[in-house]
């Protein structure tokens, strides 16, 4: 690395503006938002597709979560003649786009079966 890059990394210069701050402190720092404080980073949550969120909320209404819901989606698509796909997101998009109402009915029938089997 160059000399200037080293100065940014050891805290001699402001890493946002490039201005000289003073003696090095051993870590990158900035004068923005307080004198010489380390920047605060927010933990980013993963961005899920609308199809995934839609199917998961629909499944949650029927008590299906996580791997159980994934298995139900795969089984439903196989009943429609679609071979298993390696990515769940693609399966969610197919269900949401082409079979939404049928999947809704399928979930209702599964819930009825589960409720019927628990009442016996």
């Amino acid at each position: 690395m160059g000399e200037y890059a080293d100065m940014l990394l050891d805290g001699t210069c402001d890493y946002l503006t490039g201005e000289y701050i003073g003696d090095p402190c051993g870590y990158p720092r900035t004068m923005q938002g307080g004198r010489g404080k380390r920047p605060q980073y927010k933990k980013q949550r993963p961005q899920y597709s609308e199809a995934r969120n839609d199917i998961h909320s629909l499944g949650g209404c029927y008590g299906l979560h996580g791997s159980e819901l994934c298995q139900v989606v795969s089984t439903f698509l196989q009943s429609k003649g679609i071979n298993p796909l390696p990515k769940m997101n693609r399966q969610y998009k197919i269900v949401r786009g082409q079979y939404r109402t049928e999947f809704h009915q399928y979930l209702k029938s599964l819930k009825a079966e589960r409720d019927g089997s628990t009442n016996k």
Side-chain angles (χ1 to χ4, degrees), residues 20 22 24 39 48 52 55 67 76 94 100 105:
Y20 177 77
Y48 296 115
R52 180 214 178 265
I55 298 299
S67 61
F76 174 75
I94 291 171
R100 182 170 169 75
Q105 295 298 322

Side-chain angles (χ1 to χ4, degrees), residues 50-63:
E50 288 182 22
R52 180 214 178 265
N53 293 339
D54 194 28
I55 298 299
H56 273 259
S57 65
L58 186 60
C61 293
Y62 292 98

Side-chain angles (χ1 to χ4, degrees), residues 40 51 66 79 103:
Q40 296 295 320
S79 72
F103 185 67

